[in-house]
Amino acid sequence: MLPRAATALLVVGLLVAAMGCAQPPPDFYNVPPTPAGPPGTVIRTAPSSFGESADHTAVAVQYRSTSATGQPNAVTGTVVVPDSPWAGPGERPIVSFAVGTQGLGDQCAPSKSIPGGTAYEQGAVQAMLDRGWAVAVTDYEKLGTPGDHTYVVAAAEAHAVLDIVRAAAQVDELGLSPSAPVGIMGYSQGGQAAAKAAEVEADYAPELDVRG
């Protein structure tokens, strides 16, 4: 007999499959030993989905970021963009949404829960999508990918939060601009990540047009 937690995960997986929601394949989470390129470089992408929504394009992205000790690492996440054209002035804004505590198991990565609509902050993401904004949701370092998740390690979180914006602008099918206005939002663990990203963005990612 399966443990209760394993049974719940199996049920969620079956529901996602039944709904036809695209999920990143297992090999999407394989990472190179030493990621190449500058921070934000896209390593690989995979189709994803935002629950059952047919109104958005979602792409799972693995990208090069930087650990708390300054070493290159590979981080995964999801970028969701409304399919409707951006009606506002300038470029479509990108919000880097830093999630609150998810857990330490790889199955807790937001890129694995967002497709099935089971991410507990999905409603907050939806509210931003309803404004026409693109939303980039990092998994943080080593959540979903091999190794122990560096939970509440502020520098690693901040780098992951900023670098997913850089990566998002490189995915052609999303149609986002590297000069787009950028917002950073987070609660709980994500609040720490967002605050640290605000502290370091001028030095770490000076090319990003961070507005708040």
Side-chain angles (χ1 to χ4, degrees):
M1 185 173 181
L2 287 173
R4 183 177 298 176
T7 302
L9 288 171
L10 176 61
V11 170
V12 169
L14 291 172
L15 286 172
V16 170
M19 291 188 296
C21 301
Q23 265 195 318
D27 62 2
F28 168 75
Y29 296 94
N30 296 337
V31 301
T34 305
T41 298
V42 173
I43 298 170
R44 61 170 58 94
T45 63
S48 188
S49 57
F50 188 71
E52 294 184 88
S53 173
D55 299 324
H56 308 94
T57 296
V59 175
V61 58
Q62 182 182 132
Y63 57 98
R64 193 278 216 202
S65 191
T66 308
S67 74
T69 59
Q71 300 304 306
N73 62 4
V75 179
T76 53
T78 307
V79 184
V80 188
V81 180
D83 287 338
S84 56
W86 169 242
E91 304 288 351
R92 187 191 298 270
I94 306 170
V95 177
S96 189
F97 186 79
V99 294
T101 300
Q102 304 295 301
L104 293 177
D106 286 339
Q107 71 275 11
C108 301
S111 63
K112 296 186 178 185
S113 58
I114 286 172
T118 59
Y120 71 85
E121 293 177 288
Q122 200 126 340
V125 175
Q126 180 68 67
M128 290 180 279
L129 295 170
D130 288 345
R131 297 177 72 94
W133 301 342
V135 184
V137 185
T138 182
D139 291 339
Y140 300 130
E141 183 181 36
K142 297 181 181 178
L143 188 56
T145 55
D148 295 330
H149 170 40
T150 49
Y151 180 60
V152 294
V153 177
E157 294 171 343
H159 298 156
V161 164
L162 294 167
D163 287 330
I164 195 171
V165 177
R166 289 166 153 162
Q170 298 174 38
V171 181
D172 290 341
E173 64 202 89
L174 296 175
L176 301 174
S177 170
S179 61
V182 175
I184 305 169
M185 178 179 178
Y187 167 76
S188 184
Q189 180 188 2
Q192 179 202 37
K196 187 64 176 178
E199 286 182 4
V200 305
E201 59 88 10
D203 292 324
Y204 183 75
E207 82 283 5
L208 296 182
D209 183 16
V210 176
R211 302 289 182 90

PDB file of all heavy atoms in Angstrom, residues 119-150:
ATOM      1  N   ALA A 119      -0.623  24.751  -7.961  1.00  0.00           N
ATOM      2  CA  ALA A 119       0.250  25.693  -7.247  1.00  0.00           C
ATOM      3  C   ALA A 119      -0.621  26.604  -6.395  1.00  0.00           C
ATOM      4  O   ALA A 119      -1.563  27.217  -6.897  1.00  0.00           O
ATOM      5  CB  ALA A 119       1.070  26.498  -8.240  1.00  0.00           C
ATOM      6  N   TYR A 120      -0.318  26.701  -5.096  1.00  0.00           N
ATOM      7  CA  TYR A 120      -1.247  27.404  -4.205  1.00  0.00           C
ATOM      8  C   TYR A 120      -1.275  28.914  -4.419  1.00  0.00           C
ATOM      9  O   TYR A 120      -2.187  29.591  -3.943  1.00  0.00           O
ATOM     10  CB  TYR A 120      -0.970  27.060  -2.738  1.00  0.00           C
ATOM     11  CG  TYR A 120       0.303  27.615  -2.129  1.00  0.00           C
ATOM     12  CD1 TYR A 120       0.344  28.902  -1.581  1.00  0.00           C
ATOM     13  CD2 TYR A 120       1.461  26.839  -2.056  1.00  0.00           C
ATOM     14  CE1 TYR A 120       1.498  29.405  -1.009  1.00  0.00           C
ATOM     15  CE2 TYR A 120       2.618  27.340  -1.472  1.00  0.00           C
ATOM     16  CZ  TYR A 120       2.631  28.616  -0.949  1.00  0.00           C
ATOM     17  OH  TYR A 120       3.785  29.105  -0.373  1.00  0.00           O
ATOM     18  N   GLU A 121      -0.301  29.458  -5.159  1.00  0.00           N
ATOM     19  CA  GLU A 121      -0.323  30.884  -5.478  1.00  0.00           C
ATOM     20  C   GLU A 121      -0.750  31.134  -6.926  1.00  0.00           C
ATOM     21  O   GLU A 121      -0.541  32.228  -7.461  1.00  0.00           O
ATOM     22  CB  GLU A 121       1.058  31.486  -5.214  1.00  0.00           C
ATOM     23  CG  GLU A 121       1.429  31.498  -3.733  1.00  0.00           C
ATOM     24  CD  GLU A 121       2.826  32.018  -3.484  1.00  0.00           C
ATOM     25  OE1 GLU A 121       3.793  31.298  -3.805  1.00  0.00           O
ATOM     26  OE2 GLU A 121       2.954  33.140  -2.976  1.00  0.00           O
ATOM     27  N   GLN A 122      -1.378  30.144  -7.537  1.00  0.00           N
ATOM     28  CA  GLN A 122      -1.780  30.271  -8.941  1.00  0.00           C
ATOM     29  C   GLN A 122      -2.755  31.437  -9.145  1.00  0.00           C
ATOM     30  O   GLN A 122      -2.745  32.098 -10.169  1.00  0.00           O
ATOM     31  CB  GLN A 122      -2.391  28.957  -9.437  1.00  0.00           C
ATOM     32  CG  GLN A 122      -2.398  28.801 -10.950  1.00  0.00           C
ATOM     33  CD  GLN A 122      -1.736  27.509 -11.404  1.00  0.00           C
ATOM     34  OE1 GLN A 122      -0.959  26.908 -10.676  1.00  0.00           O
ATOM     35  NE2 GLN A 122      -2.042  27.074 -12.593  1.00  0.00           N
ATOM     36  N   GLY A 123      -3.590  31.684  -8.140  1.00  0.00           N
ATOM     37  CA  GLY A 123      -4.542  32.791  -8.254  1.00  0.00           C
ATOM     38  C   GLY A 123      -3.845  34.141  -8.341  1.00  0.00           C
ATOM     39  O   GLY A 123      -4.291  35.033  -9.079  1.00  0.00           O
ATOM     40  N   ALA A 124      -2.742  34.303  -7.610  1.00  0.00           N
ATOM     41  CA  ALA A 124      -1.985  35.555  -7.675  1.00  0.00           C
ATOM     42  C   ALA A 124      -1.354  35.735  -9.049  1.00  0.00           C
ATOM     43  O   ALA A 124      -1.323  36.840  -9.602  1.00  0.00           O
ATOM     44  CB  ALA A 124      -0.916  35.570  -6.588  1.00  0.00           C
ATOM     45  N   VAL A 125      -0.861  34.645  -9.608  1.00  0.00           N
ATOM     46  CA  VAL A 125      -0.300  34.696 -10.962  1.00  0.00           C
ATOM     47  C   VAL A 125      -1.400  35.049 -11.963  1.00  0.00           C
ATOM     48  O   VAL A 125      -1.209  35.880 -12.864  1.00  0.00           O
ATOM     49  CB  VAL A 125       0.374  33.362 -11.327  1.00  0.00           C
ATOM     50  CG1 VAL A 125       0.848  33.376 -12.785  1.00  0.00           C
ATOM     51  CG2 VAL A 125       1.545  33.077 -10.390  1.00  0.00           C
ATOM     52  N   GLN A 126      -2.576  34.430 -11.790  1.00  0.00           N
ATOM     53  CA  GLN A 126      -3.701  34.702 -12.694  1.00  0.00           C
ATOM     54  C   GLN A 126      -4.074  36.181 -12.672  1.00  0.00           C
ATOM     55  O   GLN A 126      -4.381  36.774 -13.716  1.00  0.00           O
ATOM     56  CB  GLN A 126      -4.901  33.856 -12.289  1.00  0.00           C
ATOM     57  CG  GLN A 126      -6.133  34.055 -13.162  1.00  0.00           C
ATOM     58  CD  GLN A 126      -5.931  33.526 -14.569  1.00  0.00           C
ATOM     59  OE1 GLN A 126      -5.806  32.326 -14.746  1.00  0.00           O
ATOM     60  NE2 GLN A 126      -5.921  34.412 -15.558  1.00  0.00           N
ATOM     61  N   ALA A 127      -4.046  36.790 -11.488  1.00  0.00           N
ATOM     62  CA  ALA A 127      -4.410  38.211 -11.383  1.00  0.00           C
ATOM     63  C   ALA A 127      -3.476  39.085 -12.214  1.00  0.00           C
ATOM     64  O   ALA A 127      -3.910  40.080 -12.815  1.00  0.00           O
ATOM     65  CB  ALA A 127      -4.378  38.643  -9.920  1.00  0.00           C
ATOM     66  N   MET A 128      -2.207  38.721 -12.269  1.00  0.00           N
ATOM     67  CA  MET A 128      -1.261  39.498 -13.082  1.00  0.00           C
ATOM     68  C   MET A 128      -1.451  39.228 -14.570  1.00  0.00           C
ATOM     69  O   MET A 128      -1.365  40.138 -15.394  1.00  0.00           O
ATOM     70  CB  MET A 128       0.164  39.195 -12.640  1.00  0.00           C
ATOM     71  CG  MET A 128       0.482  39.770 -11.264  1.00  0.00           C
ATOM     72  SD  MET A 128       2.164  39.442 -10.717  1.00  0.00           S
ATOM     73  CE  MET A 128       1.967  37.757 -10.120  1.00  0.00           C
ATOM     74  N   LEU A 129      -1.729  37.966 -14.904  1.00  0.00           N
ATOM     75  CA  LEU A 129      -2.016  37.645 -16.300  1.00  0.00           C
ATOM     76  C   LEU A 129      -3.255  38.387 -16.783  1.00  0.00           C
ATOM     77  O   LEU A 129      -3.328  38.808 -17.948  1.00  0.00           O
ATOM     78  CB  LEU A 129      -2.206  36.138 -16.459  1.00  0.00           C
ATOM     79  CG  LEU A 129      -0.974  35.267 -16.189  1.00  0.00           C
ATOM     80  CD1 LEU A 129      -1.366  33.792 -16.145  1.00  0.00           C
ATOM     81  CD2 LEU A 129       0.100  35.495 -17.249  1.00  0.00           C
ATOM     82  N   ASP A 130      -4.237  38.562 -15.895  1.00  0.00           N
ATOM     83  CA  ASP A 130      -5.461  39.268 -16.263  1.00  0.00           C
ATOM     84  C   ASP A 130      -5.194  40.729 -16.614  1.00  0.00           C
ATOM     85  O   ASP A 130      -5.995  41.360 -17.312  1.00  0.00           O
ATOM     86  CB  ASP A 130      -6.474  39.198 -15.120  1.00  0.00           C
ATOM     87  CG  ASP A 130      -7.083  37.814 -14.957  1.00  0.00           C
ATOM     88  OD1 ASP A 130      -6.948  36.982 -15.878  1.00  0.00           O
ATOM     89  OD2 ASP A 130      -7.686  37.555 -13.889  1.00  0.00           O
ATOM     90  N   ARG A 131      -4.074  41.268 -16.143  1.00  0.00           N
ATOM     91  CA  ARG A 131      -3.692  42.636 -16.486  1.00  0.00           C
ATOM     92  C   ARG A 131      -2.887  42.688 -17.782  1.00  0.00           C
ATOM     93  O   ARG A 131      -2.467  43.764 -18.224  1.00  0.00           O
ATOM     94  CB  ARG A 131      -2.873  43.252 -15.359  1.00  0.00           C
ATOM     95  CG  ARG A 131      -3.639  43.375 -14.041  1.00  0.00           C
ATOM     96  CD  ARG A 131      -2.755  43.934 -12.944  1.00  0.00           C
ATOM     97  NE  ARG A 131      -2.477  45.340 -13.149  1.00  0.00           N
ATOM     98  CZ  ARG A 131      -3.184  46.347 -12.616  1.00  0.00           C
ATOM     99  NH1 ARG A 131      -4.209  46.070 -11.847  1.00  0.00           N
ATOM    100  NH2 ARG A 131      -2.871  47.602 -12.858  1.00  0.00           N
ATOM    101  N   GLY A 132      -2.661  41.525 -18.375  1.00  0.00           N
ATOM    102  CA  GLY A 132      -1.921  41.467 -19.628  1.00  0.00           C
ATOM    103  C   GLY A 132      -0.431  41.299 -19.456  1.00  0.00           C
ATOM    104  O   GLY A 132       0.316  41.301 -20.440  1.00  0.00           O
ATOM    105  N   TRP A 133       0.031  41.165 -18.206  1.00  0.00           N
ATOM    106  CA  TRP A 133       1.457  41.044 -17.942  1.00  0.00           C
ATOM    107  C   TRP A 133       1.935  39.614 -18.167  1.00  0.00           C
ATOM    108  O   TRP A 133       1.175  38.662 -17.976  1.00  0.00           O
ATOM    109  CB  TRP A 133       1.765  41.439 -16.506  1.00  0.00           C
ATOM    110  CG  TRP A 133       1.360  42.836 -16.140  1.00  0.00           C
ATOM    111  CD1 TRP A 133       1.086  43.865 -16.995  1.00  0.00           C
ATOM    112  CD2 TRP A 133       1.164  43.342 -14.817  1.00  0.00           C
ATOM    113  NE1 TRP A 133       0.739  44.993 -16.293  1.00  0.00           N
ATOM    114  CE2 TRP A 133       0.778  44.702 -14.954  1.00  0.00           C
ATOM    115  CE3 TRP A 133       1.278  42.803 -13.545  1.00  0.00           C
ATOM    116  CZ2 TRP A 133       0.507  45.507 -13.850  1.00  0.00           C
ATOM    117  CZ3 TRP A 133       1.020  43.609 -12.442  1.00  0.00           C
ATOM    118  CH2 TRP A 133       0.638  44.939 -12.599  1.00  0.00           C
ATOM    119  N   ALA A 134       3.174  39.461 -18.542  1.00  0.00           N
ATOM    120  CA  ALA A 134       3.824  38.156 -18.541  1.00  0.00           C
ATOM    121  C   ALA A 134       4.313  37.866 -17.127  1.00  0.00           C
ATOM    122  O   ALA A 134       4.680  38.780 -16.390  1.00  0.00           O
ATOM    123  CB  ALA A 134       5.001  38.146 -19.509  1.00  0.00           C
ATOM    124  N   VAL A 135       4.309  36.589 -16.750  1.00  0.00           N
ATOM    125  CA  VAL A 135       4.734  36.209 -15.403  1.00  0.00           C
ATOM    126  C   VAL A 135       5.783  35.108 -15.504  1.00  0.00           C
ATOM    127  O   VAL A 135       5.562  34.084 -16.165  1.00  0.00           O
ATOM    128  CB  VAL A 135       3.555  35.742 -14.533  1.00  0.00           C
ATOM    129  CG1 VAL A 135       4.033  35.439 -13.112  1.00  0.00           C
ATOM    130  CG2 VAL A 135       2.450  36.805 -14.504  1.00  0.00           C
ATOM    131  N   ALA A 136       6.915  35.329 -14.852  1.00  0.00           N
ATOM    132  CA  ALA A 136       7.999  34.351 -14.831  1.00  0.00           C
ATOM    133  C   ALA A 136       8.131  33.813 -13.403  1.00  0.00           C
ATOM    134  O   ALA A 136       8.296  34.591 -12.463  1.00  0.00           O
ATOM    135  CB  ALA A 136       9.309  34.998 -15.276  1.00  0.00           C
ATOM    136  N   VAL A 137       8.034  32.492 -13.264  1.00  0.00           N
ATOM    137  CA  VAL A 137       8.038  31.859 -11.941  1.00  0.00           C
ATOM    138  C   VAL A 137       9.229  30.914 -11.841  1.00  0.00           C
ATOM    139  O   VAL A 137       9.243  29.852 -12.471  1.00  0.00           O
ATOM    140  CB  VAL A 137       6.731  31.079 -11.689  1.00  0.00           C
ATOM    141  CG1 VAL A 137       6.708  30.541 -10.256  1.00  0.00           C
ATOM    142  CG2 VAL A 137       5.506  31.947 -11.957  1.00  0.00           C
ATOM    143  N   THR A 138      10.227  31.287 -11.068  1.00  0.00           N
ATOM    144  CA  THR A 138      11.380  30.417 -10.899  1.00  0.00           C
ATOM    145  C   THR A 138      11.079  29.278  -9.924  1.00  0.00           C
ATOM    146  O   THR A 138      10.265  29.434  -9.003  1.00  0.00           O
ATOM    147  CB  THR A 138      12.603  31.208 -10.404  1.00  0.00           C
ATOM    148  OG1 THR A 138      13.725  30.323 -10.291  1.00  0.00           O
ATOM    149  CG2 THR A 138      12.348  31.857  -9.052  1.00  0.00           C
ATOM    150  N   ASP A 139      11.759  28.151 -10.128  1.00  0.00           N
ATOM    151  CA  ASP A 139      11.700  27.049  -9.164  1.00  0.00           C
ATOM    152  C   ASP A 139      12.716  27.230  -8.042  1.00  0.00           C
ATOM    153  O   ASP A 139      12.722  26.435  -7.098  1.00  0.00           O
ATOM    154  CB  ASP A 139      11.988  25.709  -9.860  1.00  0.00           C
ATOM    155  CG  ASP A 139      10.890  25.285 -10.818  1.00  0.00           C
ATOM    156  OD1 ASP A 139       9.742  25.776 -10.676  1.00  0.00           O
ATOM    157  OD2 ASP A 139      11.178  24.463 -11.705  1.00  0.00           O
ATOM    158  N   TYR A 140      13.590  28.206  -8.166  1.00  0.00           N
ATOM    159  CA  TYR A 140      14.748  28.392  -7.284  1.00  0.00           C
ATOM    160  C   TYR A 140      15.793  27.298  -7.526  1.00  0.00           C
ATOM    161  O   TYR A 140      15.555  26.341  -8.273  1.00  0.00           O
ATOM    162  CB  TYR A 140      14.370  28.411  -5.799  1.00  0.00           C
ATOM    163  CG  TYR A 140      13.415  29.490  -5.366  1.00  0.00           C
ATOM    164  CD1 TYR A 140      12.286  29.168  -4.602  1.00  0.00           C
ATOM    165  CD2 TYR A 140      13.638  30.817  -5.682  1.00  0.00           C
ATOM    166  CE1 TYR A 140      11.412  30.150  -4.178  1.00  0.00           C
ATOM    167  CE2 TYR A 140      12.751  31.807  -5.254  1.00  0.00           C
ATOM    168  CZ  TYR A 140      11.641  31.465  -4.505  1.00  0.00           C
ATOM    169  OH  TYR A 140      10.771  32.448  -4.086  1.00  0.00           O
ATOM    170  N   GLU A 141      16.935  27.457  -6.890  1.00  0.00           N
ATOM    171  CA  GLU A 141      18.052  26.536  -7.092  1.00  0.00           C
ATOM    172  C   GLU A 141      17.741  25.148  -6.527  1.00  0.00           C
ATOM    173  O   GLU A 141      17.359  25.010  -5.373  1.00  0.00           O
ATOM    174  CB  GLU A 141      19.301  27.101  -6.424  1.00  0.00           C
ATOM    175  CG  GLU A 141      20.548  26.257  -6.626  1.00  0.00           C
ATOM    176  CD  GLU A 141      21.766  26.844  -5.920  1.00  0.00           C
ATOM    177  OE1 GLU A 141      21.599  27.414  -4.823  1.00  0.00           O
ATOM    178  OE2 GLU A 141      22.878  26.736  -6.470  1.00  0.00           O
ATOM    179  N   LYS A 142      17.919  24.125  -7.356  1.00  0.00           N
ATOM    180  CA  LYS A 142      17.836  22.713  -6.972  1.00  0.00           C
ATOM    181  C   LYS A 142      16.471  22.302  -6.427  1.00  0.00           C
ATOM    182  O   LYS A 142      16.364  21.378  -5.631  1.00  0.00           O
ATOM    183  CB  LYS A 142      18.940  22.366  -5.971  1.00  0.00           C
ATOM    184  CG  LYS A 142      20.342  22.526  -6.552  1.00  0.00           C
ATOM    185  CD  LYS A 142      21.420  22.164  -5.557  1.00  0.00           C
ATOM    186  CE  LYS A 142      22.809  22.357  -6.156  1.00  0.00           C
ATOM    187  NZ  LYS A 142      23.887  22.050  -5.189  1.00  0.00           N
ATOM    188  N   LEU A 143      15.414  22.955  -6.878  1.00  0.00           N
ATOM    189  CA  LEU A 143      14.061  22.462  -6.627  1.00  0.00           C
ATOM    190  C   LEU A 143      13.522  22.002  -7.976  1.00  0.00           C
ATOM    191  O   LEU A 143      13.297  22.797  -8.878  1.00  0.00           O
ATOM    192  CB  LEU A 143      13.174  23.550  -6.034  1.00  0.00           C
ATOM    193  CG  LEU A 143      11.787  23.091  -5.557  1.00  0.00           C
ATOM    194  CD1 LEU A 143      11.894  21.961  -4.546  1.00  0.00           C
ATOM    195  CD2 LEU A 143      11.012  24.257  -4.948  1.00  0.00           C
ATOM    196  N   GLY A 144      13.389  20.692  -8.126  1.00  0.00           N
ATOM    197  CA  GLY A 144      13.068  20.091  -9.415  1.00  0.00           C
ATOM    198  C   GLY A 144      14.290  19.487 -10.066  1.00  0.00           C
ATOM    199  O   GLY A 144      14.209  18.477 -10.753  1.00  0.00           O
ATOM    200  N   THR A 145      15.445  20.109  -9.850  1.00  0.00           N
ATOM    201  CA  THR A 145      16.708  19.622 -10.415  1.00  0.00           C
ATOM    202  C   THR A 145      17.508  18.883  -9.337  1.00  0.00           C
ATOM    203  O   THR A 145      17.202  18.999  -8.146  1.00  0.00           O
ATOM    204  CB  THR A 145      17.531  20.793 -10.970  1.00  0.00           C
ATOM    205  OG1 THR A 145      17.709  21.765  -9.925  1.00  0.00           O
ATOM    206  CG2 THR A 145      16.816  21.454 -12.135  1.00  0.00           C
ATOM    207  N   PRO A 146      18.544  18.125  -9.717  1.00  0.00           N
ATOM    208  CA  PRO A 146      19.281  17.317  -8.740  1.00  0.00           C
ATOM    209  C   PRO A 146      19.931  18.160  -7.640  1.00  0.00           C
ATOM    210  O   PRO A 146      20.342  19.295  -7.861  1.00  0.00           O
ATOM    211  CB  PRO A 146      20.346  16.627  -9.595  1.00  0.00           C
ATOM    212  CG  PRO A 146      19.759  16.568 -10.961  1.00  0.00           C
ATOM    213  CD  PRO A 146      18.989  17.847 -11.097  1.00  0.00           C
ATOM    214  N   GLY A 147      20.018  17.564  -6.450  1.00  0.00           N
ATOM    215  CA  GLY A 147      20.644  18.223  -5.315  1.00  0.00           C
ATOM    216  C   GLY A 147      19.628  18.739  -4.320  1.00  0.00           C
ATOM    217  O   GLY A 147      18.417  18.698  -4.554  1.00  0.00           O
ATOM    218  N   ASP A 148      20.123  19.218  -3.191  1.00  0.00           N
ATOM    219  CA  ASP A 148      19.256  19.733  -2.129  1.00  0.00           C
ATOM    220  C   ASP A 148      18.899  21.185  -2.391  1.00  0.00           C
ATOM    221  O   ASP A 148      19.788  22.033  -2.590  1.00  0.00           O
ATOM    222  CB  ASP A 148      19.951  19.609  -0.766  1.00  0.00           C
ATOM    223  CG  ASP A 148      20.186  18.165  -0.352  1.00  0.00           C
ATOM    224  OD1 ASP A 148      19.372  17.298  -0.759  1.00  0.00           O
ATOM    225  OD2 ASP A 148      21.163  17.896   0.360  1.00  0.00           O
ATOM    226  N   HIS A 149      17.615  21.472  -2.375  1.00  0.00           N
ATOM    227  CA  HIS A 149      17.126  22.840  -2.572  1.00  0.00           C
ATOM    228  C   HIS A 149      17.752  23.774  -1.535  1.00  0.00           C
ATOM    229  O   HIS A 149      17.733  23.501  -0.336  1.00  0.00           O
ATOM    230  CB  HIS A 149      15.604  22.839  -2.450  1.00  0.00           C
ATOM    231  CG  HIS A 149      14.973  24.188  -2.395  1.00  0.00           C
ATOM    232  ND1 HIS A 149      15.398  25.249  -3.174  1.00  0.00           N
ATOM    233  CD2 HIS A 149      13.934  24.661  -1.651  1.00  0.00           C
ATOM    234  CE1 HIS A 149      14.649  26.304  -2.914  1.00  0.00           C
ATOM    235  NE2 HIS A 149      13.767  25.981  -1.987  1.00  0.00           N
ATOM    236  N   THR A 150      18.307  24.901  -2.014  1.00  0.00           N
ATOM    237  CA  THR A 150      18.935  25.870  -1.111  1.00  0.00           C
ATOM    238  C   THR A 150      17.850  26.789  -0.552  1.00  0.00           C
ATOM    239  O   THR A 150      17.730  27.951  -0.926  1.00  0.00           O
ATOM    240  CB  THR A 150      20.017  26.676  -1.845  1.00  0.00           C
ATOM    241  OG1 THR A 150      19.479  27.164  -3.092  1.00  0.00           O
ATOM    242  CG2 THR A 150      21.227  25.810  -2.140  1.00  0.00           C
TER     243      THR A 150
END
